[in-house]
Amino acid sequence: MSTKPVHLAVYDTLADWETGHATAYLARGGYAVRTVGPAREHVRSIGGLSVRPDLALDELRPEDSSLLILPGADLWDAGDELAPFARTAREFLDAGVPVAAICGATAGLAREGLLDDRRHTSAVSFYLAATGYKGGELYVDADAVTDGTLVTAGPTEPVAFAREVLGLLGVFEGEVLDAWFRLYHDSDPAAYAVLQQAGAR
């Protein structure tokens, strides 16, 4: 397993519920989770949480990271303020470092052209179509989609988003990953025993 940290983007209006499953189990799986903001000043989530980033975006380099996570935020659809995060996602993908985007962040990637040639999903297809991107034929109606090193998901699927991230980085695999998803997404009690036996609760 890589010892490089995972980087969680944080910015004003971020949807704080969308990445919690992923970051919690990445941390349990041995990854340090570091926050990266537009600068090092505090940002405030939609839920009112104040977060002081560990580093500023211009300090982040793909070679120092295992993954960049981009949560949704109202700001993704309110102008170009978060466009630098989409440009950084391009740098990560070009370097072969994974990116995971959920909710409004998928629209940011679409505007950057990163979904024009990759299978992807989002809230609904017409949400991304409104960006004017060219990847509509590659849109998949699914809870979450992984294409190579890119994970995308819609706003109602934080658990499926986490499943794809955890699988991509090898935190859980096979029946353990499936059981994890069934427990947290479907409340399947049979999955608990699988996780308990694997020491993966």
Side-chain angles (χ1 to χ4, degrees):
M1 180 178 292
S2 171
T3 57
K4 296 177 183 178
V6 166
H7 289 90
L8 171 67
V10 294
Y11 21 70
D12 284 330
T13 74
L14 76 96
D16 36 21
W17 65 90
E18 291 178 342
T19 61
H21 286 87
T23 55
Y25 280 87
L26 285 166
R28 283 187 165 189
Y31 285 92
V33 178
R34 301 192 68 202
T35 53
V36 55
R40 286 186 177 238
E41 284 77 27
H42 285 84
V43 299
R44 191 167 296 277
S45 75
I46 290 176
L49 299 180
S50 178
V51 180
R52 183 176 181 182
D54 294 313
L55 69 162
L57 185 61
D58 62 8
E59 299 174 90
L60 178 63
R61 300 182 305 172
E63 59 265 31
D64 297 330
S65 184
S66 292
L67 169 72
L68 174 62
I69 301 176
L70 299 174
D74 290 344
L75 287 180
W76 281 112
D77 296 318
D80 295 329
E81 187 172 340
L82 298 185
F85 285 90
R87 290 194 290 272
T88 298
R90 176 180 292 282
E91 294 173 11
F92 268 61
L93 292 170
D94 286 349
V97 182
V99 172
I102 186 170
C103 189
T106 62
L109 298 190
R111 292 185 191 98
E112 182 64 20
L114 296 175
L115 304 185
D116 288 349
D117 55 3
R118 295 176 172 91
R119 293 171 65 253
H120 60 276
T121 193
S122 184
V124 287
S125 60
F126 56 81
Y127 170 63
L128 291 186
T131 69
Y133 85 129
K134 300 175 182 177
E137 292 184 357
L138 294 173
Y139 186 90
V140 181
D141 266 320
D143 52 12
V145 172
T146 298
D147 187 329
T149 55
L150 177 65
V151 173
T152 52
T156 62
E157 298 295 344
V159 179
F161 179 69
R163 176 196 63 204
E164 298 301 302
V165 167
L166 299 174
L168 185 63
L169 293 191
V171 175
F172 297 140
E173 297 175 327
E175 68 172 6
V176 175
L177 180 62
D178 176 66
W180 183 90
F181 180 73
R182 287 188 289 112
L183 179 63
Y184 288 100
H185 188 268
D186 304 326
S187 300
D188 180 355
Y192 184 86
V194 176
L195 295 179
Q196 187 174 42
Q197 185 174 6
R201 290 183 294 114

